[in-house]
Amino acid sequence: MKFDYDVIIIGGGHAGCEAAAAAARYGANSLLITHKKSTIGEMSCNPAFGGLGKSHLVREVDALDGVIGIASDEAAIQYRVLNQRKGPAVRAPRVQADRKIYKKAMQRILSQYKNLTVLENECIGLLIDEGACCGVQTLNSDEKIYAKAVVITTGTFLNGLIHIGKKTYPAGRVGDKPSLHLSDVFQKFGFQLGRLKTGTPPRLDGRTIDWASLEEQQPDKEPIYMSYLTDCIQQEQISCFITRTNDKTHNIIMSNLDNAPLYSGQIESTGPRYCPSIEDKVVRFGERNGHQIFLEPEGLDSHTVYPNGISTSIDEKIQEIMVRSIKGLENVKIERPGYAIEYDYIDPRELKLTLETKKIRNLFLAGQINGTTGYEEASAQGLIAGVNAAINCVGKQEFILDRSDAYIGVMIDDLVTKGVTEPYRMFTSRAEYRLSLRIDNADQRLTQKGIDLGIVKKNRESSFNAKLCAIHNAMSLVTNLTITPNRAKQYGLKINQDGKKRSVLDLISYPNINLTDLYPIWPELSRIDKSVSAQIESNAIYSKYLERQRLEIVSFKKDESLVIPVDIDFNDVKGLSNEARDRVSKMKPGTVGQLSRMEGIDPSTVLKILSYIKAHRKISEMSA
């Protein structure tokens, strides 16, 4: 068979962009198919990146030379760190982004890959040969395009249906038609499909907002960038503003629930629990007298404002009354009403850890089609799917990140072992090893893996090696500089007067001592780069726990990585319940770690299967 491309990527959203870039970086001749070239990199919902758990994903994608971090820094019009008062492991940088600049940056970055072609078309079918995907069929000209691997990243476009009050119409998002053919294709091949829902708030005309009456939220003076390669602010920094709903707002909503698709029975699918609509908030948390709304400008040359916190699909006329009941918005003009969108997704338990489907070889899925929500989650999946699709073309070792490597590994493992009952969102609480999976060390965890794999360009490799050298030198300095308790007391440092010398590293492990506090004693410490000093302080703070976690990870990997033979017949494993046997036979977990985290699988089931594998391995070794 003659192939037109190595990898075809369907969809130009965040997952598609990252998949296309990753495949191209690996060296694959790649084709990105999208409905409109002009909407590549479009931010469908909120104009922001990062936040709790999500910023970890952005940094990890960036550490593997992905594009979301660089593009979001280029478009950033406000930097803020969430959880600033908490420990470094759960601090979360977030950027407010200019929509136009971000999209322009993403399109420019993709255009620089010489082995990546963009085609404006629609995929309506998959070409399958002997259980493997070998290309796609397009709508325009009914063309067949052959490739060694295909990545599907349809976002909310898969049978997308928009709801505004009692009005519904097919769409992938406002202004874009849905993908109406691929769901039938997936059903034809026996994939388990489900239906999920997400939503967006109305867009407001900022010229009609009473800004003077609202609480201002200024940008951070010392920003934390999304990409390790960013070294300066690239756009003007602006403020966001905060207001709140009130009893009047809540009464309007409660009086009109029959005009809210989520409560009228019009929408039956499940939405994101941690990003509920304002109708959901008012019904579920009726005791509260108000809910915060963050008024976020969508761009430097735009007057459109995104009211983060009032996602809604209630009737359009009711939306206007509701919004105008809120302080500062009494005379606001709605530019576009909020809406909910229902869409099809594939049960992610249909996937391997590489995001290749179990039913069809060389077919990969990434993004909201796997039941996730958010730009960051989509981008991370896109990178993994894109690079593994490219790897498949040359038959090399697949690229998998486990739960101790990265939040990306946590997310994908959660998806393929547990599945989803609501749109999946990343949180730091999902990671067992979050003390070592921090935003400040994502490059040290992952960039060398990317270099070894061949997906990290020379400029990032040089920057990374320079940083490693700086960290090594700084660690040597803070380890060798010491002080006696008596002299430390003279500088106002409160430590035990036990006569034992303390190094700088020892001192900054105390919660009340920062590296800057030690500049008067050792001025040379002030010459350490800020990103390096932040890294050293984090390591010092968690030093007592990191060694314990390192040993836990070693133990985890020992059992986690034990492979379950692909040809195992679970009917031969004695003592399994019928339910457990059915679950594992259907899911076919790849490792004991995956098996242990499957829904409905108890420790006794794991032990029985583990004993069976070891016994048969021992027999095989004896007969060899």
Side-chain angles (χ1 to χ4, degrees):
M1 182 183 296
K2 184 179 182 300
F3 293 104
D4 302 297
Y5 296 92
D6 293 323
V7 179
I8 294 175
I9 301 94
I10 307 299
H14 294 84
C17 290
E18 213 67 67
R25 281 200 309 283
Y26 191 79
N29 182 24
S30 306
L31 173 68
L32 174 62
I33 300 178
T34 180
H35 285 171
K36 296 179 185 176
K37 291 181 181 180
S38 61
T39 59
I40 288 175
E42 186 79 60
M43 288 186 279
S44 301
C45 196
N46 63 316
F49 295 91
L52 304 180
K54 292 172 175 283
S55 57
H56 293 72
L57 292 174
V58 174
R59 277 288 181 91
E60 289 175 354
V61 170
D62 182 70
L64 291 165
D65 219 7
V67 295
I68 186 175
I70 292 171
S72 57
D73 274 334
E74 187 168 327
I77 56 178
Q78 190 196 71
Y79 284 96
R80 282 184 64 83
V81 174
L82 310 182
N83 278 354
Q84 182 69 64
R85 296 180 182 178
K86 294 186 178 181
V90 293
R91 288 177 193 158
R94 182 181 188 272
V95 300
Q96 185 72 22
D98 183 299
R99 285 188 185 276
K100 292 180 183 177
I101 296 175
Y102 180 84
K103 186 166 65 171
K104 185 177 179 181
M106 184 61 73
Q107 292 177 11
R108 187 196 72 251
I109 292 169
L110 293 184
S111 72
Q112 293 171 351
Y113 289 99
K114 302 303 181 186
N115 56 335
L116 173 61
T117 303
V118 178
L119 174 66
E120 205 169 71
N121 209 325
E122 180 182 351
C123 172
I124 61 170
L126 301 175
L127 306 179
I128 310 297
D129 181 39
E130 296 183 355
C133 187
C134 58
V136 302
Q137 184 172 357
T138 61
L139 179 64
N140 299 340
S141 74
D142 197 27
E143 183 182 15
K144 292 181 179 179
I145 307 175
Y146 291 90
K148 298 174 184 176
V150 173
V151 183
I152 306 288
T153 69
T154 48
T156 60
F157 281 62
L158 205 61
N159 271 352
L161 184 68
I162 281 180
H163 297 261
I164 305 176
K166 296 177 181 179
K167 180 174 66 175
T168 66
Y169 61 93
R173 61 183 166 223
V174 165
D176 290 307
K177 62 182 181 178
S179 175
L180 299 175
H181 304 280
L182 283 177
S183 285
D184 293 338
V185 174
F186 284 118
Q187 285 183 326
K188 174 185 174 183
F189 287 102
F191 285 87
Q192 184 67 43
L193 272 70
R195 197 90 170 138
L196 291 174
K197 166 256 174 190
T198 189
T200 191
R203 303 303 196 269
L204 311 180
D205 185 340
R207 296 169 297 187
T208 61
I209 294 174
D210 179 13
W211 298 105
S213 67
L214 303 176
E215 177 188 346
E216 184 176 6
Q217 187 182 57
Q218 295 183 340
D220 288 346
K221 293 181 179 179
E222 295 186 6
I224 294 180
Y225 302 118
M226 304 307 287
S227 172
Y228 287 105
L229 295 183
T230 303
D231 57 10
C232 65
I233 294 173
Q234 300 177 58
Q235 305 296 338
E236 174 191 350
Q237 297 294 285
I238 63 174
S239 292
C240 295
F241 291 80
I242 302 174
T243 185
R244 294 179 69 85
T245 60
N246 52 58
D247 289 340
K248 184 178 179 182
T249 313
H250 300 174
N251 289 334
I252 292 168
I253 293 169
M254 292 299 293
S255 300
N256 288 279
L257 288 180
D258 57 332
N259 286 303
L262 194 62
Y263 285 92
S264 67
Q266 186 172 305
I267 293 177
E268 297 180 354
S269 53
T270 307
R273 187 192 334 173
Y274 301 103
C275 189
S277 67
I278 187 61
E279 298 98 286
D280 224 7
K281 289 180 185 177
V282 171
V283 172
R284 288 165 54 192
F285 309 108
E287 72 282 359
R288 296 190 185 179
N289 58 11
H291 298 276
Q292 272 193 330
I293 302 168
F294 297 89
L295 299 175
E296 302 171 343
E298 294 202 347
L300 295 174
D301 64 351
S302 170
H303 53 74
T304 302
V305 172
Y306 182 94
N308 194 339
I310 52 170
S311 173
T312 183
S313 58
I314 206 164
D315 180 82
E316 193 170 341
K317 292 181 180 178
I318 305 302
Q319 286 190 39
E320 184 175 42
I321 298 170
M322 174 193 73
V323 170
R324 288 185 173 179
S325 70
I326 297 167
K327 182 180 179 180
L329 308 181
E330 292 86 353
N331 299 302
V332 78
K333 177 184 175 183
I334 292 181
E335 293 186 339
R336 192 187 81 192
Y339 64 87
I341 183 166
E342 287 187 292
Y343 55 94
D344 288 349
Y345 77 99
I346 307 298
D347 186 335
R349 290 173 296 183
E350 300 268 14
L351 306 173
K352 302 175 184 178
L353 286 169
T354 58
L355 298 183
E356 182 183 20
T357 68
K358 295 176 180 177
K359 285 188 170 71
I360 300 176
R361 300 191 311 280
N362 302 334
L363 176 63
F364 296 77
L365 308 181
Q368 284 177 286
I369 192 172
N370 292 338
T372 60
T373 182
Y375 307 147
E376 302 84 357
E377 290 86 347
S379 294
Q381 292 173 72
L383 186 147
I384 296 299
V387 74
N388 277 301
I391 288 171
N392 260 26
C393 297
V394 293
K396 291 191 176 180
Q397 180 67 39
E398 58 197 11
F399 182 62
I400 294 173
L401 296 172
D402 67 37
R403 300 182 73 91
S404 63
D405 289 326
Y407 275 82
I408 296 175
V410 172
M411 174 180 65
I412 293 177
D413 186 66
D414 282 349
L415 291 172
V416 304
T417 57
K418 299 176 183 177
V420 299
T421 55
E422 61 185 59
Y424 180 98
R425 178 179 177 176
M426 177 50 69
F427 289 104
T428 54
S429 58
R430 294 189 188 273
E432 302 92 320
Y433 306 112
R434 55 186 171 273
L435 296 186
S436 54
L437 303 182
R438 307 189 304 271
I439 59 166
D440 59 54
N441 67 3
D443 54 346
Q444 291 161 73
R445 291 185 277 116
L446 299 176
T447 299
Q448 189 59 54
K449 291 179 184 290
I451 293 170
D452 296 341
L453 188 62
I455 59 170
V456 171
K457 297 190 290 292
K458 290 298 181 184
N459 65 323
R460 186 179 295 273
E461 183 177 356
S462 298
S463 175
F464 172 66
N465 287 331
K467 180 180 176 181
L468 285 186
C469 182
I471 290 174
H472 174 78
N473 293 336
M475 280 298 294
S476 177
L477 183 65
V478 299
T479 304
N480 292 321
L481 291 176
T482 60
I483 194 171
T484 63
N486 191 43
R487 185 161 177 253
K489 186 178 180 181
Q490 296 172 14
Y491 284 96
L493 300 178
K494 297 179 180 179
I495 61 175
N496 291 338
Q497 296 297 305
D498 53 11
K500 297 179 181 178
K501 286 186 176 182
R502 307 296 202 282
S503 68
V504 170
L505 198 62
D506 293 329
L507 292 173
I508 60 177
S509 69
Y510 287 81
N512 59 330
I513 301 177
N514 298 318
L515 201 62
T516 53
D517 298 326
L518 307 180
Y519 288 176
I521 309 174
W522 298 287
E524 58 267 44
L525 294 175
S526 64
R527 294 194 290 272
I528 299 175
D529 183 84
K530 286 184 179 179
S531 64
V532 173
S533 63
Q535 174 83 78
I536 290 170
E537 285 187 317
S538 296
N539 288 340
I541 290 169
Y542 295 123
S543 59
K544 295 178 182 178
Y545 308 99
L546 287 174
E547 177 59 19
R548 184 192 310 165
Q549 195 163 94
R550 186 189 69 79
L551 295 174
E552 289 176 356
I553 290 172
V554 170
S555 175
F556 156 79
K557 285 192 172 182
K558 184 178 179 181
D559 292 333
E560 169 76 11
S561 58
L562 183 62
V563 175
I564 298 175
V566 290
D567 59 351
I568 185 174
D569 186 348
F570 291 105
N571 290 313
D572 294 338
V573 182
K574 295 181 179 179
L576 294 186
S577 68
N578 289 333
E579 181 185 0
R581 185 173 282 109
D582 288 344
R583 284 180 184 272
V584 294
S585 296
K586 180 181 178 182
M587 286 300 302
K588 294 182 172 57
T591 65
V592 171
Q594 277 191 330
L595 170 69
S596 67
R597 288 186 293 278
M598 280 178 56
E599 184 180 3
I601 298 300
D602 58 28
S604 66
T605 298
V606 176
L607 287 173
K608 288 167 186 173
I609 294 175
L610 183 60
S611 298
Y612 177 86
I613 294 169
K614 288 182 175 179
H616 276 256
R617 179 177 291 179
K618 189 173 182 180
I619 293 171
S620 298
E621 289 172 352
M622 290 173 66
S623 60

